[in-house]
């Protein structure tokens, strides 16, 4: 099938890339654009390891075609770092030990990023529900929830 040029912003930079109509966004981001922070776990929309931000919404990039990003804004975990400064969520995940192997972490961070934009002062139950689409095999979730709570507190007082 004929390839197609698509343009979008990736972490605030303009991107133009040639893709096949059947190619998934996660593959283009990782393989062509070399942003390997977003991980591939299940490839069936269950685990959330591939979660990134597309046009202000959390998406699981293993179930989004790259052509759907045309003209859009994509933010990956690499884009959370600004002016060499970690995002408060990244700081909080470190502080609260919100990770062990780290495989789920980029997806967790990107989901938490969008979740806190939508709900800056969530209850614990709201965090659990908001993060329910992201699976972790290591942490038992307690410290991930704590990290999101800490980030919310720090962002509110910043
Ligand atoms: S790799 Fe996309 S949800 Fe698991
Ligand atoms: S820290 Fe290992 S899968 Fe979450």
């Amino acid at each position: 099938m004929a390839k197609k040029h698509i343009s979008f912003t990736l972490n605030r930079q303009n991107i133009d890339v040639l893709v096949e109509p059947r190619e998934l966004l996660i593959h283009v981001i990782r393989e062509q654009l070399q942003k390997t922070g977003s991980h591939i776990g299940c490839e069936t929309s269950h685990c959330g390891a591939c979660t990134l931000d597309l046009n202000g919404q959390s998406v699981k990039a293993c179930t989004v075609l790259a052509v759907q990003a045309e003209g859009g804004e994509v933010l990956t975990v690499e884009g959370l770092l600004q002016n060499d400064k970690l995002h408060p969520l990244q700081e909080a995940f470190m502080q609260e030990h919100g990770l062990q192997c780290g495989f789920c972490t980029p997806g967790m961070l990107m989901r938490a990023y969008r979740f806190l934009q939508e709900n800056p002062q969530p209850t614990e139950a709201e965090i659990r529900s908001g993060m329910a689409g992201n699976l972790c095999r290591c942490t038992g979730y307690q410290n991930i929830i704590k990290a999101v709570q800490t980030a919310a507190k720090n962002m509110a007082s910043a």
Side-chain angles (χ1 to χ4, degrees), residues 26 37-53 58-63 77 102-112 130-136 141:
I26 189 67
S38 306
H39 291 163
I40 300 176
C42 63
E43 280 194 293
T44 54
S45 83
H46 281 91
C47 74
C50 62
T51 304
L52 48 75
D53 216 65
S58 296
V59 298
K60 292 179 173 175
C62 71
T63 50
V77 71
F103 189 82
C104 69
T105 311
M108 289 286 178
L109 286 167
M110 293 314 295
R111 176 57 199 140
M131 301 293 293
N134 290 68
L135 304 182
C136 176
Y141 299 99

Side-chain angles (χ1 to χ4, degrees), residues 9 12 17 28 35 46 51 61 73 77 81 85 91 97 101 103 107 110 113 119-120 137-139 144:
T9 64
R12 299 171 284 279
V17 67
V28 171
K35 296 289 184 234
H46 281 91
T51 304
E73 287 179 17
V77 71
L81 190 75
K85 204 169 170 321
E91 296 280 5
H97 307 288
C101 78
F103 189 82
M110 293 314 295
Y113 169 82
N119 185 355
R137 291 171 298 181
C138 308
T139 65
I144 292 174

Side-chain angles (χ1 to χ4, degrees), residues 62-137:
C62 71
T63 50
V64 175
L65 292 169
V67 290
Q68 291 176 276
E70 165 67 17
E73 287 179 17
V74 177
L75 188 74
T76 66
V77 71
E78 289 90 346
L80 289 186
L81 190 75
Q82 281 205 63
N83 303 323
D84 288 333
K85 204 169 170 321
L86 292 179
H87 189 278
L89 270 163
Q90 293 170 305
E91 296 280 5
F93 268 69
M94 276 200 303
Q95 184 187 327
E96 303 292 356
H97 307 288
L99 63 146
Q100 288 182 28
C101 78
F103 189 82
C104 69
T105 311
M108 289 286 178
L109 286 167
M110 293 314 295
R111 176 57 199 140
Y113 169 82
R114 180 50 50 197
F115 172 69
L116 289 182
Q117 302 274 318
E118 293 163 353
N119 185 355
Q121 291 184 301
T123 63
E124 181 180 334
E126 286 169 340
I127 296 173
R128 287 184 183 277
S129 160
M131 301 293 293
N134 290 68
L135 304 182
C136 176
R137 291 171 298 181

